[in-house]
Amino acid sequence: MVVVWQFLPLLIAYARDRRRFFLFGRPRQVDPETHRHRAEVLLESLLTLGPTFIKLGQLLSTRPDILPPSYIEVLASLQDDVPPAEWAGAKAVLEDELGPLEDNFAAFETEAISGASLGQVYRARLDAETDSGRDNLDYGRDVAVKIRRPEIEPLVKADLRVIRWSLPILLYFVGESRAFSLENLADEFAKTIREEMDYEREAAMLQEIRDNFDGDDRFVIPDVIESHSGPRVLTMEYIEGTKINDVEELDRKGIDRTQVAEDLQRSYLQMIIDDGVFHADPHPGNLAVTDEGQVVFYDFGMSGRVDEFIQQKIVEFYIAVANQDIDAILDALTEIGTLSPDADRAVMAEVMELAIQDARGEDIEQYRVNQIIGQIEDSIYEFPFRLPKNLALVLRVATVVEGVCVTLDSEFDFIDTATSYLTEQGYREESIRKYLEESGQQLRRTGESLTRIAPKAERTLDRLERDDQFIRIGVEDSNGVFTTLAKRIIYGLLLTMSLFSMGVLYALEAPEASVVAAVFSAVVVIQLYRSFRKPRSTRVRPQFTRQNLRQRRDEE
């Protein structure tokens, strides 16, 4: 009931957007200011409902396939601004897991240095005696202690149950394609939040990723202090750094921001394409830069794995982008399951061209954006992008990393960096070799087909000569043109019949029956009129990261 009460005003507003009077009426157009106000109301509701819903808001803030840009911009504040729990409750969890605080730490700062939705991080110093058994740590070393929020488990369990029960209601307010992504989001969220509460899993993922970057001095990943860690407490070495989006401080320290952006993108290309295990929460609060320009990764609670099929398709996608092969890009997206097979490929091709142009840091002509919007609005257009469960975290990473890199360098060329990485790792050469092999096989099959065409053509001509050839044609009507035409014909016949009946009944001095016929005629006229009305399309505006960033900087 608490959750329903919090979201009821928004649900009523969304219901009236679809039908002005709930059960009937035309849809309402919503201006950007109203969207932003609703997003701020949603933000307050999520903060009021507590940790689980804050985490849900963080996930939604990286899902442009579900929410409009204005919502994503407002909910992005949840990445950093999360109220910490009281120290007394955190201390109880810590001592229940490790024992008395004084026996494990020489010093402990009770003010959290980082607040998260499910836990918070404190700075402490290990006692020299408790750390004497570890050769790779200095005695009395500073550490970061991550403590799960007190009594979070039953709260998360109850909140997940509420979210699962509420999903059928929420699906009523979205289209079919967004419903696909929303259902997958619910499954992903339940899995992700349970994994993120398991600090033993986080320690294992952190250590695996750390081993994968062993010897690469461009990156720094904290080591786990196993003697001071458990299912609800994770102690890591403390590594200082400048927040990655603090560009003024980075410039003051003389750090090459473009190089940092390139290193960051390369690290995620390696994790996703080569290693198959990756840090999945790269928002600025979890990334820092040392004074030597090394990228520091924090918080591995949200991390994931990529199976070989997805890795292969991601490589094919990046190679297609590097070659600017639009058809290959669309094919890769379709095979992964991200792009609907029914999407208008011509429109999507133009969208991809603009996306590549934006990724290269080039200016985008506004007339081309307006042209694509017009093509979308002049057709029956369903949102073509959807997000399978096995790609949810990968998309989250791609979206957030892009934002971080553009913050570091507004002219950063993603495609050039990805192309260089693929070339260095031999993926492009392998792709060319595979293409040549497939082309050779295709030529062989073409030759075999040519040898079979002549006899088949002769048999077909013989059947035509004997008038023994039949042709079956199937017409695909995905837009329902024939159905609409049939409805109009039926409505027209019914209207003609009802008007004739009304005239006859009136002539026969049967006023009650003629009134009924008149009412029936009016209903048919309304239905006939509605069949000729064009559906009101949703005004969509593409969100281009670089252009939005420039606009915000100009406004500031």
Side-chain angles (χ1 to χ4, degrees), residues 385-517:
F385 290 107
R386 49 195 185 181
L387 193 56
K389 283 180 282 190
N390 55 358
L391 270 180
L393 286 180
V394 175
L395 179 67
R396 172 188 173 85
V397 165
T399 304
V400 180
V401 168
E402 178 186 1
V404 173
C405 290
V406 170
T407 301
L408 289 167
D409 179 6
S410 60
E411 304 301 326
F412 183 71
D413 193 332
F414 295 92
I415 296 177
D416 183 61
T417 302
T419 302
S420 299
Y421 181 85
L422 294 172
T423 303
E424 292 168 8
Q425 301 300 319
Y427 287 112
R428 294 195 75 186
E429 289 75 4
E430 183 180 347
S431 174
I432 293 172
R433 184 168 59 253
K434 183 179 178 182
Y435 173 77
L436 293 175
E437 290 176 358
E438 291 178 352
S439 298
Q441 294 175 359
Q442 184 65 38
L443 286 172
R444 179 176 56 80
R445 287 194 295 267
T446 302
E448 293 174 353
S449 299
L450 288 174
T451 61
R452 293 193 294 267
I453 286 177
K456 287 184 177 181
E458 186 177 1
R459 287 195 298 270
T460 301
L461 291 172
D462 289 341
R463 294 185 67 178
L464 285 172
E465 189 177 5
R466 297 193 303 268
D467 294 332
D468 191 24
Q469 182 73 18
F470 297 93
I471 299 176
R472 180 179 297 143
I473 299 175
V475 179
E476 183 178 348
D477 185 23
S478 59
N479 293 333
V481 175
F482 289 118
T483 302
T484 303
L485 181 60
K487 286 182 180 179
R488 291 172 182 172
I489 292 174
I490 292 172
Y491 289 148
L493 292 173
L494 288 174
L495 180 61
T496 302
M497 180 191 70
S498 60
L499 291 174
F500 178 76
S501 301
M502 182 177 64
V504 171
L505 292 171
Y506 184 79
L508 295 176
E509 298 182 353
E512 294 85 359
S514 62
V515 168
V516 171

Side-chain angles (χ1 to χ4, degrees), residues 115-130:
S117 55
L118 303 178
Q120 49 275 325
V121 181
Y122 299 86
R123 185 173 180 176
R125 180 177 292 272
L126 289 179
D127 186 77
E129 295 180 1
T130 62

Side-chain angles (χ1 to χ4, degrees), residues 118-158:
L118 303 178
Q120 49 275 325
V121 181
Y122 299 86
R123 185 173 180 176
R125 180 177 292 272
L126 289 179
D127 186 77
E129 295 180 1
T130 62
D131 194 34
S132 59
R134 294 180 62 90
D135 296 332
N136 62 329
L137 288 175
D138 298 328
Y139 297 156
R141 188 173 198 179
D142 285 351
V143 293
V145 184
K146 185 177 180 181
I147 305 174
R148 189 193 297 174
R149 284 180 179 264
E151 300 180 358
I152 192 69
E153 297 92 335
L155 178 61
V156 167
K157 185 177 180 181

Side-chain angles (χ1 to χ4, degrees), residues 99-247:
L101 181 68
E102 295 77 10
D103 294 346
N104 289 280
F105 299 95
F108 202 103
E109 297 180 7
T110 59
E111 189 75 23
I113 60 175
S114 175
S117 55
L118 303 178
Q120 49 275 325
V121 181
Y122 299 86
R123 185 173 180 176
R125 180 177 292 272
L126 289 179
D127 186 77
E129 295 180 1
T130 62
D131 194 34
S132 59
R134 294 180 62 90
D135 296 332
N136 62 329
L137 288 175
D138 298 328
Y139 297 156
R141 188 173 198 179
D142 285 351
V143 293
V145 184
K146 185 177 180 181
I147 305 174
R148 189 193 297 174
R149 284 180 179 264
E151 300 180 358
I152 192 69
E153 297 92 335
L155 178 61
V156 167
K157 185 177 180 181
D159 288 343
L160 289 177
R161 187 165 58 247
V162 170
I163 291 171
R164 179 60 60 186
W165 289 348
S166 305
L167 188 61
I169 300 174
L170 296 176
L171 295 181
Y172 172 78
F173 298 97
V174 298
E176 182 179 348
S177 296
R178 279 197 168 90
F180 176 90
S181 291
L182 194 59
E183 287 182 286
N184 285 339
L185 173 70
D187 295 334
E188 172 212 349
F189 178 64
K191 177 175 178 289
T192 299
I193 199 169
R194 289 191 180 101
E195 290 178 346
E196 195 167 348
M197 288 194 301
D198 184 358
Y199 287 178
E200 289 181 324
R201 176 189 180 274
E202 178 178 349
M205 298 291 279
L206 186 158
Q207 196 60 48
E208 183 176 352
I209 295 174
R210 189 172 189 271
D211 292 341
N212 291 334
F213 285 100
D214 187 30
D216 194 335
D217 59 5
R218 295 174 298 175
F219 310 103
V220 179
I221 298 175
D223 193 14
V224 177
I225 316 299
E226 296 178 2
S227 60
H228 289 65
S229 301
R232 295 182 296 168
V233 175
L234 178 60
T235 303
M236 303 158 285
E237 62 175 318
Y238 181 81
I239 301 174
E240 283 191 290
T242 303
K243 196 172 180 179
I244 199 167
N245 64 346
D246 189 352
V247 293

Side-chain angles (χ1 to χ4, degrees), residues 221-452:
I221 298 175
D223 193 14
V224 177
I225 316 299
E226 296 178 2
S227 60
H228 289 65
S229 301
R232 295 182 296 168
V233 175
L234 178 60
T235 303
M236 303 158 285
E237 62 175 318
Y238 181 81
I239 301 174
E240 283 191 290
T242 303
K243 196 172 180 179
I244 199 167
N245 64 346
D246 189 352
V247 293
E248 293 182 0
E249 183 65 16
L250 293 175
D251 288 340
R252 190 184 69 79
K253 292 182 176 181
I255 295 173
D256 186 345
R257 290 191 277 118
T258 302
Q259 185 62 49
V260 171
E262 182 176 340
D263 290 343
L264 180 65
Q265 189 190 4
R266 281 175 171 268
S267 69
Y268 278 95
L269 287 171
Q270 175 184 325
M271 284 190 276
I272 292 173
I273 294 176
D274 292 328
D275 301 335
V277 56
F278 61 97
H279 175 261
D281 198 12
H283 70 81
N286 289 336
L287 298 170
V289 183
T290 67
D291 292 345
E292 292 75 31
Q294 301 164 298
V295 179
V296 184
F297 295 89
Y298 303 123
D299 193 356
F300 288 76
M302 189 177 293
S303 50
R305 296 187 182 275
V306 190
D307 59 55
E308 291 184 5
F309 173 78
I310 296 297
Q311 284 180 304
Q312 178 185 349
K313 293 305 173 185
I314 291 174
V315 170
E316 292 178 5
F317 171 78
Y318 274 121
I319 291 174
V321 171
N323 297 333
Q324 298 193 37
D325 186 342
I326 303 298
D327 286 332
I329 293 174
L330 298 179
D331 290 340
L333 292 175
T334 303
E335 290 175 14
I336 293 174
T338 302
L339 182 65
S340 170
D342 299 327
D344 188 329
R345 286 182 69 96
V347 175
M348 288 299 99
E350 294 195 53
V351 171
M352 287 301 159
E353 287 180 1
L354 291 186
I356 291 175
Q357 188 177 343
D358 178 64
R360 288 197 175 278
E362 301 172 7
D363 292 331
I364 298 172
E365 301 88 347
Q366 188 61 39
Y367 82 90
R368 288 200 63 198
V369 177
N370 295 335
Q371 184 183 39
I372 291 177
I373 293 172
Q375 289 176 317
I376 291 172
E377 294 181 343
D378 289 341
S379 62
I380 299 176
Y381 182 82
E382 294 184 357
F383 191 74
F385 290 107
R386 49 195 185 181
L387 193 56
K389 283 180 282 190
N390 55 358
L391 270 180
L393 286 180
V394 175
L395 179 67
R396 172 188 173 85
V397 165
T399 304
V400 180
V401 168
E402 178 186 1
V404 173
C405 290
V406 170
T407 301
L408 289 167
D409 179 6
S410 60
E411 304 301 326
F412 183 71
D413 193 332
F414 295 92
I415 296 177
D416 183 61
T417 302
T419 302
S420 299
Y421 181 85
L422 294 172
T423 303
E424 292 168 8
Q425 301 300 319
Y427 287 112
R428 294 195 75 186
E429 289 75 4
E430 183 180 347
S431 174
I432 293 172
R433 184 168 59 253
K434 183 179 178 182
Y435 173 77
L436 293 175
E437 290 176 358
E438 291 178 352
S439 298
Q441 294 175 359
Q442 184 65 38
L443 286 172
R444 179 176 56 80
R445 287 194 295 267
T446 302
E448 293 174 353
S449 299
L450 288 174
T451 61
R452 293 193 294 267

